[in-house]
Amino acid sequence: MSWGYDKDNGPDTWPNLFTAARGHKQSPVDLNTNWIWYDQELEKRPLVISYQQEPSLYIENPGLSFKAHITANSTISGGPLGNDTYRLIQFHFHWGPDDASGSEHTVNERSYPCELHLVHYNATKYKSFAEAVSQSDGLAVIGVFIKTGPRDHEGFKVISDNAQKVKCRGNKLNTGVPFNPEVLLPGDTTKYWTYEGSLTTPPCNESVIWIVLQQEITVSTGQLQALRNLCCDECGSKRIPANYRPPLPLGTRKIAASFP
Ligand code: 1SD
Ligand code: ZN
């Protein structure tokens, strides 16, 4: 049986199969604002997000999520990333069956209905994502919380309008629509929490500098429903289950904030 989110193959079982998942720098975590440390250095060295337009957004239903592949030279640097530049390779989402849960990170134990992950690899030090994924400074993931509201989110439309075209596991689509991933970011990207963690899915490598933005974005309930309608099988009858890993212990790690 392969890993998943059901009772017999879900997050509780991953440590039995993947050594890294037994580690002490696992993700996600609860962002407890009472314990977070304000790091003034982060304010002095701003996080620079330079995303470029994809000529045609390429999307995929890999079975347990919704993923978009990135081809343009979109990068991030600064903030907690030292002197290295990290290149965006893909983004994907985690969600729940209703608005009560869905995000992987939580804030003071509160969940959001959905969380966007923009996955970057260290392009200064490594040739590819594959090479970077097992290095402690290999990856940087930006997490964006998503809540629901009455209005459609303009930038999310390409995703929600095309999701049903990749309804079944294995479906892939070149949308033909130009898309700049920056439209999925909140207005203020200067406020974030950062800590050292892992991939939140097997093999759970501890190779991720997490940057979780404090400001969320809002999509309509219908738009989030487009993700919830995706199927995890080829015939299109079984919905993707809640695909979030619950928070793991922070241990001796520290979470830093870029704002007081
Ligand atoms: O869940 C994703 C997984 O789908 C894959 O994209 C991986 C990178 O290879 O990253 C994890 S996550 O940690 O960004 N959730
Ligand atoms: Zn993710």
Side-chain angles (χ1 to χ4, degrees):
M1 197 194 323
S2 51
W3 69 269
Y5 293 93
D6 294 324
K7 208 169 180 201
D8 47 354
N9 68 355
D12 289 348
T13 68
W14 299 349
N16 305 332
L17 302 164
F18 302 93
T19 322
R22 295 175 218 150
H24 300 288
K25 287 166 77 174
Q26 289 291 293
S27 293
V29 296
D30 178 49
L31 302 159
N32 182 326
T33 53
N34 291 320
W35 290 98
I36 290 172
W37 168 70
Y38 165 46
D39 182 356
Q40 281 170 289
E41 292 302 314
L42 294 174
E43 226 178 357
K44 281 188 214 145
R45 259 182 69 89
L47 174 70
V48 179
I49 304 177
S50 355
Y51 287 170
Q52 311 295 322
Q53 176 159 288
E54 292 297 302
S56 166
L57 187 67
Y58 184 85
I59 59 171
E60 178 190 1
N61 174 344
L64 289 171
S65 186
F66 171 99
K67 194 180 278 193
H69 296 256
I70 296 298
T71 55
N73 187 26
S74 289
T75 60
I76 57 172
S77 59
L81 303 175
N83 294 318
D84 298 349
T85 296
Y86 287 71
R87 184 171 175 172
L88 182 63
I89 176 138
Q90 52 106 331
F91 65 83
H92 62 268
F93 300 87
H94 301 263
W95 62 86
D98 54 50
D99 284 3
S101 66
S103 66
E104 300 212 290
H105 291 91
T106 53
V107 181
N108 299 326
E109 296 187 353
R110 183 176 149 241
S111 296
Y112 284 82
C114 183
E115 186 172 329
L116 160 66
H117 287 160
L118 298 135
V119 181
H120 312 72
Y121 73 93
N122 186 333
T124 303
K125 291 206 177 127
Y126 310 110
K127 282 195 285 295
S128 65
F129 173 83
E131 196 187 317
V133 70
S134 52
Q135 310 294 328
S136 62
D137 59 355
L139 306 181
V141 183
I142 296 186
V144 181
F145 293 121
I146 303 181
K147 67 178 172 72
T148 57
R151 274 186 300 279
D152 279 349
H153 183 289
E154 283 303 315
F156 198 85
K157 269 188 181 161
V158 184
I159 290 153
S160 47
D161 290 353
N162 286 288
Q164 57 168 353
K165 297 179 194 153
V166 292
K167 189 173 182 210
C168 310
R169 185 178 76 196
N171 287 173
K172 297 174 171 138
L173 176 74
N174 207 327
T175 60
V177 182
F179 183 85
N180 190 324
E182 75 182 4
V183 300
L184 296 174
L185 298 173
D188 184 359
T189 56
T190 65
K191 294 192 178 69
Y192 60 84
W193 297 292
T194 182
Y195 74 97
E196 289 175 10
S198 74
L199 298 178
T200 66
T201 56
C204 302
N205 300 22
E206 295 182 334
S207 56
V208 181
I209 298 169
W210 276 96
I211 299 170
V212 181
L213 302 184
Q214 190 246 342
Q215 214 177 68
E216 76 273 339
I217 63 164
T218 308
V219 305
S220 68
T221 305
Q223 286 184 304
L224 188 49
Q225 195 57 43
L227 296 183
R228 292 181 180 136
N229 287 342
L230 295 171
C231 292
C232 62
D233 60 3
E234 275 145 26
C235 63
S237 58
K238 187 175 183 281
R239 297 266 175 96
I240 295 178
N243 60 2
Y244 60 91
R245 185 189 198 188
L248 281 299
L250 185 63
T252 56
R253 289 176 289 177
K254 293 211 163 35
I255 300 172
S258 65
F259 59 99

